[in-house]
Amino acid sequence: MSRRSGVLEFAVLGLLRESPMHGYELRKRLNTSLGVFRAFSYGTLYPCLKALLQQGWIAEEPGSATTEPLTAQLTGRRAKIVYAITAEGKDHFEELLAQTGPDTWEDEHFGVRFAFFGQTSRDVRMRVLEGRRSRLEERLDKMRASLARTRERLDDYTLELQRHGMESVEREVRWLNELIESERAGRDKRDQSPPEGVSAQEARAEDGPAEGRRQSENTGGLPRHRGSARPDSSEDIK
C-alpha cells in the first residue's frame, strides 16, 4: 500500500466510523474537513472504496431512494449506494489510531491524524505530537545550516523565500509546543471517570486542547497557528 492510498483509507474509515455516507458525501467531507484532500477526484476515491470493500472493512448499503422504486423509475436515477464501516473495519481503524511511527509525523499523515485526535488516546496523541515536533526541529536545523552556507550567493528574493519557509516551520514548532503543554497539563484528569451521562468517547474528546475544539469546525478539524494558517501538507492528493 502506498503512503497516499494508506492515508486516504485511514481518512475514509475515520469518517465512516462517525456515520454511513455515500460517495458524494465522503468526497465533500474529505475536501472540506481534511485539507490534504482538497484536490482529488472520484477516480481516486472509488478505487479506495473498492479496496476497503474487498478487505471487508466497509459494506455497501442501499440508499433511501430504493424505498421509492416508482420515483426512481420515473426520474431514471439510480439509488445512491451508502457505505458503512463494519465491525472489522472499526477494529482495523482502532489499530491504525494506535500507530505512532515515523509515517504519522510526516506532512500528509500528520494533518489527517490530527483531525481524528478526538478519537485517539492521550498517550498516542503525545507520541505523535512529540514525533512531529522532533521531525520539524530536524528540518529547521537543516534549513538554518543550508541558509548559513548559501546566504552570500543568494539574491534578496531567494533569501526572503528561504526565511519565509523557516518562519513557517518555526511557527508550527511553537504551535506544537503549546499543544504538548496542553496535553501534559491535562494528565491529572486521565484516570478520572467521566461525569454521569457523558460517554467515554465524549470524555476523551474533552481531554483534547480547548482551543483546538473551539476552532476545529472552522478550520477543517485542525486548530490554527497563532498568527498563521494551520499546518499544510507538502503536496495534495491528486
Side-chain angles (χ1 to χ4, degrees):
M1 180 188 301
S2 70
R3 178 175 295 181
R4 286 186 171 184
S5 62
V7 72
L8 179 57
E9 289 186 3
F10 174 83
V12 169
L13 288 174
L15 291 175
L16 292 181
R17 190 173 185 264
E18 298 174 1
S19 66
M21 302 180 197
H22 54 70
Y24 174 78
E25 291 174 318
L26 269 172
R27 185 172 184 268
K28 184 177 180 181
R29 286 289 305 278
L30 289 166
N31 281 335
T32 59
S33 299
L34 303 175
V36 68
F37 300 108
R38 63 178 175 267
F40 87 115
S41 65
Y42 287 111
T44 302
L45 175 60
Y46 282 107
C48 172
L49 292 172
K50 182 179 179 180
L52 294 175
L53 285 166
Q54 292 174 342
Q55 293 286 347
W57 293 331
I58 66 173
E60 293 179 343
E61 297 178 349
S64 59
T66 58
T67 62
E68 300 290 345
L70 180 59
T71 301
Q73 182 178 357
L74 292 174
T75 60
R77 296 177 181 175
R78 294 186 299 173
K80 293 180 179 179
I81 296 174
V82 174
Y83 299 93
I85 194 169
T86 62
E88 293 79 6
K90 290 179 181 178
D91 291 340
H92 181 61
F93 183 69
E94 291 291 339
E95 293 174 0
L96 295 176
L97 277 180
Q99 294 179 3
T100 59
D103 277 354
T104 66
W105 312 337
E106 300 299 338
D107 293 343
E108 288 182 351
H109 275 245
F110 176 74
V112 178
R113 283 299 301 266
F114 193 91
F116 293 100
F117 261 22
Q119 304 177 40
T120 307
S121 69
R122 181 184 298 277
D123 290 343
V124 171
R125 292 198 304 259
M126 282 291 293
R127 288 196 292 271
V128 173
L129 289 172
E130 290 174 341
R132 175 66 175 175
R133 180 176 64 179
S134 176
R135 178 58 49 86
L136 290 183
E137 287 174 341
E138 292 174 3
R139 185 182 301 174
L140 194 56
D141 287 342
K142 291 179 180 179
M143 294 173 73
R144 287 169 175 161
S146 175
L147 183 61
R149 290 193 305 268
T150 61
R151 181 188 300 271
E152 300 299 328
R153 300 193 299 271
L154 299 178
D155 60 59
D156 291 343
Y157 295 102
T158 304
L159 183 61
E160 190 62 29
L161 183 63
Q162 292 204 11
R163 286 173 175 167
H164 174 70
M166 287 177 54
E167 289 172 359
S168 296
V169 177
E170 289 169 344
R171 282 195 297 270
E172 186 170 348
V173 170
R174 291 195 297 269
W175 175 73
L176 289 166
N177 286 335
E178 293 173 2
L179 290 173
I180 290 169
E181 288 305 312
S182 178
E183 293 287 346
R184 287 174 177 166
R187 275 181 171 172
D188 293 339
K189 301 178 182 179
R190 181 167 64 175
D191 296 326
Q192 294 180 1
S193 300
E196 184 177 355
V198 177
S199 68
Q201 183 174 349
E202 291 170 335
R204 287 198 301 271
E206 285 299 315
D207 279 344
E211 182 176 357
R213 292 197 305 274
R214 288 194 301 269
Q215 296 180 343
S216 62
E217 182 177 355
N218 294 327
T219 61
L222 301 178
R224 295 185 182 278
H225 293 269
R226 294 184 182 273
S228 69
R230 71 176 189 275
D232 201 354
S233 62
S234 58
E235 54 183 343
D236 294 328
I237 291 184
K238 304 296 182 183

